[in-house]
Amino acid sequence: MMMQEILGPRDKQVLEAVIIDYIRTGDPVGSRTVAKKYITDVSPATIRNVMADLEELNLLYRPHASAGRVPTSLGWRYYIDSILTINQLAKRDRERIKKAYEGSPKEIQTLLRATSRILSELSKQAAVVLLPKLSQTIFKRIQFVRVNQNQVLTIFIAESGIVQSFLVHIDEDISQDELNKYSRYLSESLKGLSLLEVKKRILKEMEEERILFDRLLRKAIELSKKALQVGLDETDIVIEGQTNLLNYPEFADVQQMKKLLATFEEKTKIIRLLDKCLSSEGVHIILGSEAEFQDVQDMSLISSTYSRGGDILGALGVIGPTRMDYSRIIPLVDYTAKLLSQIFEDE
Amino acid sequence: MMMQEILGPRDKQVLEAVIIDYIRTGDPVGSRTVAKKYITDVSPATIRNVMADLEELNLLYRPHASAGRVPTSLGWRYYIDSILTINQLAKRDRERIKKAYEGSPKEIQTLLRATSRILSELSKQAAVVLLPKLSQTIFKRIQFVRVNQNQVLTIFIAESGIVQSFLVHIDEDISQDELNKYSRYLSESLKGLSLLEVKKRILKEMEEERILFDRLLRKAIELSKKALQVGLDETDIVIEGQTNLLNYPEFADVQQMKKLLATFEEKTKIIRLLDKCLSSEGVHIILGSEAEFQDVQDMSLISSTYSRGGDILGALGVIGPTRMDYSRIIPLVDYTAKLLSQIFEDE
DNA sequence: TTTAGCACTCATCTCGATAGAGTGCTAATA
DNA sequence: TATTAGCACTCTATCGAGATGAGTGCTAAA
């Protein structure tokens, strides 16, 4: 972006002042306010001139003629990329996050739920955590447990310790002993592959060598094929603290509120959004006004990834109004993601 | 209640008319409306007299002097108990419910989720489904699956086909073969007991015969004790369609809306409410104004139980504004509960 | 017992006036 | 040349007065 060269230090100061005040109040901010609270050594008139420039650059705009200025999405983007300095997360917050993890057991589901809870609590906004994609996890072991004559519980255990289970229907009764044999065979022959590869392998084997198979193999493979059908596609997501958002005056309007909640109810959109974040490490910021989820205007997503041994497992983040305190939320998301990764590493 | 004797047929007619119109519109209903739309053979003045009587009996009240009448909680109760005639659920609805179950597999979690979905969809309100209490389920089999050196997945399988699993942490590494032995031993010796009894038994055995135990038994019992600690207390509940309620004008006020959502977020209250319903079969109706969950005024709960072989497994219901169409919702809840029970029976 | 008529109450809607916040422009100033 | 003071202007939000209308209770007549 060229913009850096164009804006002088005063322009930056004013833009920052407008944004900071707007974050605090949510109201358009006028020249008087800026001159009084942020840049006391010049008069409102001077500020006005600067503001007029910023408006021309499409960094600020006015809702109506006699209102103050509000940042545009370009304004937000510029602020985030070129003005905002990110401090370390406050020690108090760091310790609260650590504490949140201490009590809970190291099961993935519980861990991620704890994450979303602490994120939404500290950010006072909605937290989202994307669970590791099943299809990408590395297969370690499979276990079949007979429930009754036509139901078998299938458990996948991943290298990373992630456990996922599904109930599978079968037509023919199979004893637990036999199931154990299947488990052992499959676990050994498929170890180390990703679930996606596992699925491919199974399909291939079934096609090609159909005749050669003994009964045991055929059964085992059929069973795990069924299990994979059930569980592989769905990406899971945990969302918490939506109601935090209702405290923001921008959603005070009932219509807005309904839209907002409807968006959260339809999780696929948010999943798609977070999916993008999965492609690279580090903190991503997506402004609602810029892209994707425009149904709910003036929402933004701050997200990062958590990983284990260099492999990205999933993503986590905070969704809130575009006017949120980035200087607090960015370190929060960043720190949480890193801590969570570390916990996985330690296992 | 004495009330039946006191009210004449015209009183009943008027009360019913007021309630029906109020259900439709949500606005206080005046004498003119009743005379025009429901009881056309008398004049508004007559209706007014009757209404005045009903107001004296505390069955109706006026929000303010020049508004129409609105039913009181006593009025609702009287209407539900003594006036309302419950028809069979419309054939169309019955078929839609049946269809909703057809596709899905017969796993309990999925089944109950499908239930809440179809309930909230047809009622256009919030649906709640209380999952069977773990402590009351009859133990059938236990299975341990080694995840890694300090995690074991424990799976309880109940007589009813309900499957529940938890991750348990252990200090000492145990091989899968050994775990299988434990599973077999415990499954055989504890079969047929309720989980609560299982827990008691385990505690007792550990206390009394500590010295006699061989290593295998001790381990097994320790493990299942740990598993029971994790999973036994939490009662699970599925709530769906809260946002349906936001369409009702009574919650158009932002304050009300927040309260409503906060109530749903804190699930324990709703669990306690449904717990009551578990004590006896059949449809229960709890008016918010009468009791318990007064935080959100003018909400009501219509619930029933689902069971298998005479044992009540759990409860399901619909939460909506008190002003809801009971003549539709009651058969809906009733039918769904019976159908769900039947599905469990068939297994 | 029912009804018509009437006076009365009260919430809600409309409309205009007013206040206030904020701007842009111009001319004066450093 | 950059800054500032002053001023006219625009637009929104708010408040109160008055009109509207729905609904009632009461009284007297049918």
Side-chain angles (χ1 to χ4, degrees), chain A residues 189-206:
Chain A
S189 70
L190 297 176
K191 204 176 202 168
L193 299 178
S194 80
L195 275 200
L196 211 63
E197 290 170 318
V198 168
K199 191 179 181 181
K200 269 188 209 153
R201 172 83 68 93
I202 286 175
L203 287 176
K204 206 173 122 200
E205 292 202 355
M206 281 199 74

Side-chain angles (χ1 to χ4, degrees), chain A residues 98-138:
Chain A
K98 271 189 195 154
K99 219 175 198 172
Y101 286 122
E102 264 168 26
S104 65
K106 290 190 174 161
E107 186 205 355
I108 179 123
Q109 284 279 358
T110 323
L111 219 46
L112 296 185
R113 197 162 286 276
T115 303
S116 74
R117 198 160 300 152
I118 192 71
L119 266 184
S120 76
E121 199 181 312
L122 287 183
S123 69
K124 304 257 184 267
Q125 315 203 21
V128 290
V129 178
L130 193 66
L131 272 63
K133 258 201 177 164
L134 257 190
S135 56
Q136 289 174 4
T137 55
I138 300 300

Side-chain angles (χ1 to χ4, degrees), chain A residues 185 209-220:
Chain A
Y185 167 74
E209 315 182 40
R210 177 167 287 182
I211 312 134
L212 295 174
F213 276 170
D214 63 12
R215 197 170 157 287
L216 184 145
L217 249 75
R218 163 101 44 85
K219 263 284 156 222

Side-chain angles (χ1 to χ4, degrees), chain B residues 326-337:
Chain B
Y326 293 90
S327 66
R328 238 180 69 81
I329 308 289
I330 291 175
L332 174 65
V333 170
D334 188 42
Y335 179 79
T336 309

Side-chain angles (χ1 to χ4, degrees), chain B residues 270-338:
Chain B
I270 295 170
I271 289 178
R272 223 176 308 138
L273 220 55
L274 276 172
D275 255 354
K276 286 197 177 162
C277 161
L278 284 179
S279 58
S280 69
E281 282 183 30
V283 176
H284 289 227
I285 297 168
I286 297 176
L287 302 182
S289 44
E290 283 179 349
E292 327 309 331
F293 65 136
Q294 294 191 330
D295 326 348
V296 186
Q297 268 305 354
D298 27 65
M299 296 286 291
S300 292
L301 166 70
I302 297 178
S303 65
S304 187
T305 58
Y306 59 92
S307 53
R308 176 197 158 98
D311 299 325
I312 294 175
L313 290 178
L316 56 82
V318 167
I319 293 182
T322 300
R323 129 183 131 71
M324 64 177 138
D325 186 352
Y326 293 90
S327 66
R328 238 180 69 81
I329 308 289
I330 291 175
L332 174 65
V333 170
D334 188 42
Y335 179 79
T336 309
K338 281 180 181 150

Side-chain angles (χ1 to χ4, degrees), chain B residues 204-215:
Chain B
K204 207 172 121 200
E205 292 201 355
M206 281 199 75
E207 296 272 314
E208 283 183 8
E209 314 182 42
R210 179 167 285 181
I211 312 135
L212 295 174
F213 275 170
D214 63 12
R215 196 169 157 287

Side-chain angles (χ1 to χ4, degrees), chain A residues 107-315:
Chain A
E107 186 205 355
I108 179 123
Q109 284 279 358
T110 323
L111 219 46
L112 296 185
R113 197 162 286 276
T115 303
S116 74
R117 198 160 300 152
I118 192 71
L119 266 184
S120 76
E121 199 181 312
L122 287 183
S123 69
K124 304 257 184 267
Q125 315 203 21
V128 290
V129 178
L130 193 66
L131 272 63
K133 258 201 177 164
L134 257 190
S135 56
Q136 289 174 4
T137 55
I138 300 300
F139 179 89
K140 181 182 174 192
R141 226 147 61 64
I142 194 172
Q143 187 84 20
F144 300 113
V145 176
R146 182 180 175 281
V147 175
N148 56 37
Q149 66 261 35
N150 46 19
Q151 289 188 311
V152 169
L153 184 71
T154 305
I155 301 147
F156 283 112
I157 300 173
E159 203 63 73
S160 55
I162 294 166
V163 173
Q164 200 92 15
S165 59
F166 326 93
L167 259 195
V168 177
H169 266 254
I170 53 169
D171 303 323
E172 189 186 348
D173 196 5
I174 309 175
S175 76
Q176 181 64 51
D177 282 338
E178 207 162 349
L179 287 174
N180 285 344
K181 279 184 217 157
Y182 301 169
S183 303
R184 214 162 301 152
Y185 167 74
L186 280 174
S187 298
E188 263 164 45
S189 70
L190 297 176
K191 204 176 202 168
L193 299 178
S194 80
L195 275 200
L196 211 63
E197 290 170 318
V198 168
K199 191 179 181 181
K200 269 188 209 153
R201 172 83 68 93
I202 286 175
L203 287 176
K204 206 173 122 200
E205 292 202 355
M206 281 199 74
E207 296 274 314
E208 283 183 7
E209 315 182 40
R210 177 167 287 182
I211 312 134
L212 295 174
F213 276 170
D214 63 12
R215 197 170 157 287
L216 184 145
L217 249 75
R218 163 101 44 85
K219 263 284 156 222
I221 285 177
E222 233 168 53
L223 202 55
S224 50
K225 186 187 160 207
K226 267 195 182 167
L228 283 169
Q229 270 170 357
V230 177
L232 209 52
D233 302 325
E234 37 190 62
T235 312
D236 226 356
I237 191 171
V238 180
I239 303 179
E240 212 135 332
Q242 294 101 303
T243 47
N244 277 343
L245 299 179
L246 304 186
N247 292 321
Y248 284 85
E250 29 268 82
F251 304 117
D253 169 31
V254 179
Q255 277 304 22
Q256 281 281 325
M257 208 175 225
K258 278 189 207 164
K259 251 192 192 169
L260 176 68
L261 291 171
T263 306
F264 278 108
E265 209 147 87
E266 208 201 316
K267 294 180 175 177
T268 44
K269 242 174 227 156
I270 295 169
I271 289 178
R272 223 176 309 138
L273 221 56
L274 275 171
D275 254 354
K276 286 199 176 159
C277 160
L278 284 179
S279 58
S280 68
E281 281 184 31
V283 176
H284 289 227
I285 297 169
I286 298 176
L287 301 183
S289 45
E290 283 179 348
E292 326 309 332
F293 64 136
Q294 295 191 329
D295 325 348
V296 186
Q297 269 304 354
D298 28 66
M299 296 286 290
S300 292
L301 166 70
I302 298 178
S303 65
S304 187
T305 57
Y306 59 93
S307 54
R308 176 197 159 99
D311 298 325
I312 293 176
L313 291 178

